[in-house]
Amino acid sequence: DSGVTQTPKHLITATGQRVTLRCSPRSGDLSVYWYQQSLDQGLQFLIQYYNGEERAKGNILERFSAQQFPDLHSELNLSSLELGDSALYFCASSPGIAKNIQYFGAGTRLSVL
Amino acid sequence: SQQGEEDPQALSIQEGENATMNCSYKTSINNLQWYRQNSGRGLVHLILIRSNEREKHSGRLRVTLDTSKKSSSLLITASRAADTASYFCATDGGMANQGGKLIFGQGTELSVKP
C-alpha cells in the first residue's frame, strides 16, 4: 500500500459529461501529481500541485482542471468528456517539489461511452 | 515527444533467468528512476539512480546509467513468476524542469514463466 488513496476506482460516464477524481496523498507529502495512462499515449504527466499552489503543468487539456485543498487532498476535474478521455488516471505524491520518488495511487479507470 | 524509449517492448523468459531492459531518454537529467506496474494497477518505485552515479544495486535489481549515451538498463537477476509486470523508466527532465514531473518511457512488458 503506497499510502495514496484515489477514489473512485472505476467511473463510467457518457460523452459531454463532467467528472471529479479525488486523491489523498501520503501523510506529510506536500506535492500531488496527476498522470494519464492510455494505450496510445502511454503515461503522461498532467499537472503538479505543491502545498496548494500549481507547480508544473504538462499536456493537460483546457477541459481539465485540478486543485489542491488546504488539507492537501487534490481533485482533478474533467469536463465535456470525449471518448478519447477514456484512460487510467493516476495520482502520485511526494514530500518535496522535485527530484523525489513518487508514490502512486491505484488509479481511477475512466470509461467514456 | 519528450518520452524516451524502452527496449524491448516485451520480454518473455523462464523463471530463474535474468531479464534486462533498456531505456533511452532525450533530455538532461538529475536522476532516473525505474517503476514497476502490475496489470492495470498503480506504479511502484523500484530504484533511483542519480546522474553522477553509474551503477546501483537493490536486492535482485541492478541499474546502470550512461549519461553520455542517455541510456539506462535494469537487470533483474534470478527472475520469479511474481516479477511479471510492466517496467518503466522515468526521468526528471533535468534543470529545464522546475517542478517534479516525471517523463516516462513506453515500458517493457516482462513475462516470467514458471
Side-chain angles (χ1 to χ4, degrees), chain A residues 26 30 47 57 64 67 76-77 99 105 108 110:
Chain A
R26 287 189 329 154
L30 297 179
I47 197 163
K57 213 165 183 175
F64 296 1
Q67 53 185 327
L76 178 67
N77 300 296
K99 305 176 192 175
T108 293
L110 174 66

PDB file of all heavy atoms in Angstrom, chain A residues 26 30 47 57 64 67 76-77 99 105 108 110:
ATOM      1  N   ARG A  26      -0.030  10.729   0.544  1.00  0.00           N
ATOM      2  CA  ARG A  26       0.562  10.132   1.747  1.00  0.00           C
ATOM      3  C   ARG A  26       0.659  11.200   2.826  1.00  0.00           C
ATOM      4  O   ARG A  26       0.882  12.378   2.534  1.00  0.00           O
ATOM      5  CB  ARG A  26       1.983   9.633   1.467  1.00  0.00           C
ATOM      6  CG  ARG A  26       2.110   8.414   0.641  1.00  0.00           C
ATOM      7  CD  ARG A  26       3.555   7.893   0.624  1.00  0.00           C
ATOM      8  NE  ARG A  26       4.539   8.955   0.758  1.00  0.00           N
ATOM      9  CZ  ARG A  26       5.761   8.794   1.251  1.00  0.00           C
ATOM     10  NH1 ARG A  26       6.143   7.593   1.690  1.00  0.00           N
ATOM     11  NH2 ARG A  26       6.622   9.799   1.312  1.00  0.00           N
ATOM     12  N   LEU A  30       3.657  16.962   0.436  1.00  0.00           N
ATOM     13  CA  LEU A  30       3.102  18.253   0.044  1.00  0.00           C
ATOM     14  C   LEU A  30       2.822  18.355  -1.449  1.00  0.00           C
ATOM     15  O   LEU A  30       2.052  19.203  -1.874  1.00  0.00           O
ATOM     16  CB  LEU A  30       4.075  19.376   0.439  1.00  0.00           C
ATOM     17  CG  LEU A  30       4.336  19.524   1.939  1.00  0.00           C
ATOM     18  CD1 LEU A  30       5.325  20.649   2.192  1.00  0.00           C
ATOM     19  CD2 LEU A  30       3.056  19.773   2.712  1.00  0.00           C
ATOM     20  N   ILE A  47      -0.365  17.496 -14.344  1.00  0.00           N
ATOM     21  CA  ILE A  47      -0.203  18.698 -13.535  1.00  0.00           C
ATOM     22  C   ILE A  47       0.339  18.337 -12.155  1.00  0.00           C
ATOM     23  O   ILE A  47       0.158  17.214 -11.696  1.00  0.00           O
ATOM     24  CB  ILE A  47      -1.556  19.445 -13.425  1.00  0.00           C
ATOM     25  CG1 ILE A  47      -1.376  20.890 -12.958  1.00  0.00           C
ATOM     26  CG2 ILE A  47      -2.540  18.684 -12.546  1.00  0.00           C
ATOM     27  CD1 ILE A  47      -2.601  21.765 -13.225  1.00  0.00           C
ATOM     28  N   LYS A  57       2.968  22.193 -15.114  1.00  0.00           N
ATOM     29  CA  LYS A  57       1.851  21.811 -15.966  1.00  0.00           C
ATOM     30  C   LYS A  57       2.387  21.042 -17.159  1.00  0.00           C
ATOM     31  O   LYS A  57       3.409  21.415 -17.745  1.00  0.00           O
ATOM     32  CB  LYS A  57       1.134  23.078 -16.443  1.00  0.00           C
ATOM     33  CG  LYS A  57      -0.341  22.946 -16.626  1.00  0.00           C
ATOM     34  CD  LYS A  57      -0.978  24.338 -16.745  1.00  0.00           C
ATOM     35  CE  LYS A  57      -2.470  24.245 -16.868  1.00  0.00           C
ATOM     36  NZ  LYS A  57      -3.120  25.551 -16.867  1.00  0.00           N
ATOM     37  N   PHE A  64      -9.725  20.133 -18.734  1.00  0.00           N
ATOM     38  CA  PHE A  64      -9.347  19.510 -17.461  1.00  0.00           C
ATOM     39  C   PHE A  64      -8.831  20.589 -16.509  1.00  0.00           C
ATOM     40  O   PHE A  64      -8.122  21.509 -16.924  1.00  0.00           O
ATOM     41  CB  PHE A  64      -8.247  18.469 -17.663  1.00  0.00           C
ATOM     42  CG  PHE A  64      -8.627  17.275 -18.498  1.00  0.00           C
ATOM     43  CD1 PHE A  64      -9.878  17.138 -19.071  1.00  0.00           C
ATOM     44  CD2 PHE A  64      -7.703  16.257 -18.721  1.00  0.00           C
ATOM     45  CE1 PHE A  64     -10.220  16.038 -19.839  1.00  0.00           C
ATOM     46  CE2 PHE A  64      -8.020  15.145 -19.485  1.00  0.00           C
ATOM     47  CZ  PHE A  64      -9.282  15.033 -20.045  1.00  0.00           C
ATOM     48  N   GLN A  67      -7.126  21.090  -8.544  1.00  0.00           N
ATOM     49  CA  GLN A  67      -6.792  21.950  -7.431  1.00  0.00           C
ATOM     50  C   GLN A  67      -6.327  21.107  -6.259  1.00  0.00           C
ATOM     51  O   GLN A  67      -6.606  19.907  -6.196  1.00  0.00           O
ATOM     52  CB  GLN A  67      -7.972  22.838  -7.025  1.00  0.00           C
ATOM     53  CG  GLN A  67      -9.267  22.120  -6.740  1.00  0.00           C
ATOM     54  CD  GLN A  67     -10.399  23.101  -6.456  1.00  0.00           C
ATOM     55  OE1 GLN A  67     -10.185  24.180  -5.895  1.00  0.00           O
ATOM     56  NE2 GLN A  67     -11.615  22.750  -6.838  1.00  0.00           N
ATOM     57  N   LEU A  76      -9.151  16.292  -9.541  1.00  0.00           N
ATOM     58  CA  LEU A  76      -8.971  16.515 -10.976  1.00  0.00           C
ATOM     59  C   LEU A  76     -10.354  16.518 -11.596  1.00  0.00           C
ATOM     60  O   LEU A  76     -11.093  15.542 -11.465  1.00  0.00           O
ATOM     61  CB  LEU A  76      -8.100  15.406 -11.580  1.00  0.00           C
ATOM     62  CG  LEU A  76      -7.846  15.471 -13.093  1.00  0.00           C
ATOM     63  CD1 LEU A  76      -6.983  16.683 -13.444  1.00  0.00           C
ATOM     64  CD2 LEU A  76      -7.172  14.186 -13.578  1.00  0.00           C
ATOM     65  N   ASN A  77     -10.702  17.623 -12.220  1.00  0.00           N
ATOM     66  CA  ASN A  77     -11.998  17.767 -12.852  1.00  0.00           C
ATOM     67  C   ASN A  77     -11.857  17.638 -14.364  1.00  0.00           C
ATOM     68  O   ASN A  77     -11.033  18.320 -14.981  1.00  0.00           O
ATOM     69  CB  ASN A  77     -12.600  19.140 -12.521  1.00  0.00           C
ATOM     70  CG  ASN A  77     -12.779  19.328 -11.032  1.00  0.00           C
ATOM     71  OD1 ASN A  77     -13.554  18.613 -10.408  1.00  0.00           O
ATOM     72  ND2 ASN A  77     -12.054  20.273 -10.446  1.00  0.00           N
ATOM     73  N   LYS A  99      12.655  16.116  -7.880  1.00  0.00           N
ATOM     74  CA  LYS A  99      13.723  15.126  -7.743  1.00  0.00           C
ATOM     75  C   LYS A  99      13.399  14.059  -6.704  1.00  0.00           C
ATOM     76  O   LYS A  99      14.277  13.506  -6.075  1.00  0.00           O
ATOM     77  CB  LYS A  99      15.052  15.794  -7.368  1.00  0.00           C
ATOM     78  CG  LYS A  99      15.479  16.885  -8.325  1.00  0.00           C
ATOM     79  CD  LYS A  99      16.737  17.568  -7.860  1.00  0.00           C
ATOM     80  CE  LYS A  99      16.998  18.829  -8.641  1.00  0.00           C
ATOM     81  NZ  LYS A  99      18.158  19.566  -8.130  1.00  0.00           N
ATOM     82  N   GLY A 105      -1.026   6.200  -6.405  1.00  0.00           N
ATOM     83  CA  GLY A 105      -2.265   5.559  -6.020  1.00  0.00           C
ATOM     84  C   GLY A 105      -2.610   4.442  -6.999  1.00  0.00           C
ATOM     85  O   GLY A 105      -1.913   4.233  -7.994  1.00  0.00           O
ATOM     86  N   THR A 108      -7.734   5.670 -11.074  1.00  0.00           N
ATOM     87  CA  THR A 108      -9.157   5.678 -11.406  1.00  0.00           C
ATOM     88  C   THR A 108      -9.276   5.330 -12.879  1.00  0.00           C
ATOM     89  O   THR A 108      -8.665   5.998 -13.721  1.00  0.00           O
ATOM     90  CB  THR A 108      -9.791   7.065 -11.161  1.00  0.00           C
ATOM     91  OG1 THR A 108      -9.794   7.355  -9.770  1.00  0.00           O
ATOM     92  CG2 THR A 108     -11.226   7.092 -11.688  1.00  0.00           C
ATOM     93  N   LEU A 110     -11.331   5.488 -16.006  1.00  0.00           N
ATOM     94  CA  LEU A 110     -12.444   6.247 -16.560  1.00  0.00           C
ATOM     95  C   LEU A 110     -12.823   5.665 -17.915  1.00  0.00           C
ATOM     96  O   LEU A 110     -11.971   5.520 -18.799  1.00  0.00           O
ATOM     97  CB  LEU A 110     -12.057   7.717 -16.724  1.00  0.00           C
ATOM     98  CG  LEU A 110     -13.079   8.604 -17.436  1.00  0.00           C
ATOM     99  CD1 LEU A 110     -14.350   8.735 -16.605  1.00  0.00           C
ATOM    100  CD2 LEU A 110     -12.501   9.982 -17.740  1.00  0.00           C
TER     101      LEU A 110
END
